[in-house]
Amino acid sequence: MAITDPLALQVLAIAKEAGDKIMEIYDRDFAIYEKQDTSPLTEADLAAHNCIVAGLESISELPILSEESADISWETRKSWSQYWLVDPLDGTKEFIKKNGEFTVNIALIDGGKPVMGVVYAPALNKSYVGVVGQGAWTETAEGVNTISAKPHQPGELWKIVGSRSHQSPEIQNLLAQLDGETELVAMGSSLKLCLVAEGEAHLYPRLGPTSEWDTGAAHAVALAAGADVTVLDAADPLKSDAEALTYNQKESVLNPYFLVSA
């Protein structure tokens, strides 16, 4: 069993190189800065960003939108049919807490849809790779395994990805609509979407702010594994005709609320 898509393998190698840069800083004391929105920015974000941009530019001429170079105008972006969407270090707060639940995210977006994604968790030494139409895989020290989302079965305990802290009334409303008992599965960063992709959870409702680079790579993994990622209506969270989450279709890079479902 192996990942055979040549472009995916190249992107995985770039993500791992960026992960090495992150871990060099993770294993020592590091400086923390503040962005304009007051979210923390570390040396590791910038080191990973520079590594990824250099790597992608060496294999592709497509434009790159990264969290650390997000000031590209809508006038420029709206003409992009294909581009790379990058979060060099997703889960900066987890990185600062040193709990290991942070990732390198690299996605290929085509026509507003994620078609390939790599999510690498360097502290966990675990990679997720998804190529829509081909499949999804995890890679660990033990090797490569195919993954697939596992829909909820009647009578089965519902496993819901969520926050470790307080659950909002909207989340409680969603849980109340489910038939049966529920269990909260807590995780940081884009690994939350990956839990559904690998069959470790049935649903991940996101009723909080995220940006497109937070989700693009793991969204591709989820789609490749057979899951859906749809815009979530808080008033009717489980409606069956919800529209798919899309990318680069508007000036703002903020996502609407969404639901990942097996």
Side-chain angles (χ1 to χ4, degrees):
M1 187 183 304
I3 303 164
T4 57
D5 185 90
L7 185 58
L9 288 170
Q10 287 179 304
V11 174
L12 178 58
I14 292 168
K16 287 181 176 179
E17 185 179 352
D20 289 344
K21 303 284 188 189
I22 289 170
M23 292 307 294
E24 288 173 10
I25 297 166
Y26 186 70
D27 290 334
R28 61 170 170 80
D29 291 332
F30 46 81
I32 300 171
Y33 311 97
E34 280 199 353
K35 302 181 190 178
Q36 290 184 340
D37 64 359
T38 74
S39 59
L41 173 67
T42 70
E43 299 169 66
D45 295 81
L46 298 174
H49 165 80
N50 293 332
C51 177
I52 292 166
V53 169
L56 291 177
E57 287 179 343
S58 74
I59 64 169
S60 166
E61 296 183 350
L62 293 176
I64 302 166
L65 179 63
S66 167
E67 180 177 13
E68 309 312 336
S69 61
D71 55 354
I72 299 170
S73 73
W74 170 237
E75 284 300 309
T76 298
R77 286 193 292 112
K78 69 182 180 182
S79 65
W80 294 354
S81 56
Q82 283 188 315
Y83 68 102
W84 297 105
L85 180 60
V86 175
D87 191 343
L89 176 48
D90 182 34
T92 306
K93 291 177 182 177
E94 280 73 24
F95 178 88
I96 292 168
K97 293 175 189 172
K98 295 205 170 188
N99 71 5
E101 295 174 4
F102 53 87
T103 57
V104 176
N105 298 338
I106 306 175
L108 177 61
I109 308 296
D110 187 351
K113 300 176 182 178
V115 294
M116 184 184 73
V118 170
V119 176
Y120 176 49
L124 307 178
N125 192 26
K126 186 170 187 177
S127 305
Y128 295 84
V129 178
V131 182
V132 176
Q134 292 187 32
W137 305 268
T138 57
E139 183 185 65
T140 64
E142 283 72 48
V144 176
N145 288 297
T146 301
I147 59 172
S148 60
K150 294 181 172 56
H152 180 265
Q153 301 300 317
E156 188 179 12
L157 177 72
W158 281 97
K159 292 189 175 182
I160 314 295
V161 184
S163 168
R164 287 188 172 83
S165 55
H166 174 70
Q167 293 299 306
S168 68
E170 291 84 2
I171 294 291
Q172 295 295 344
N173 175 44
L174 184 150
L175 297 181
Q177 295 184 44
L178 300 175
D179 181 20
E181 295 186 17
T182 61
E183 174 188 327
L184 177 68
V185 183
M187 184 61 70
S189 70
S190 61
L191 293 169
K192 292 189 282 288
L193 290 92
C194 294
L195 286 175
V196 179
E198 64 179 327
E200 295 297 320
H202 302 111
L203 298 174
Y204 167 38
R206 180 68 187 202
L207 287 154
T210 57
S211 296
E212 293 183 1
W213 46 71
D214 294 320
T215 57
H219 186 170
V221 173
L223 292 179
D228 292 314
V229 183
T230 53
V231 175
L232 195 154
D233 180 349
D236 185 12
L238 297 178
K239 71 177 183 180
S240 58
D241 61 343
E243 62 187 87
L245 186 68
T246 57
Y247 295 81
N248 201 43
Q249 302 300 299
K250 60 189 189 309
E251 183 170 1
S252 171
V253 294
L254 291 176
N255 287 322
Y257 294 163
F258 61 86
L259 177 69
V260 187
S261 54

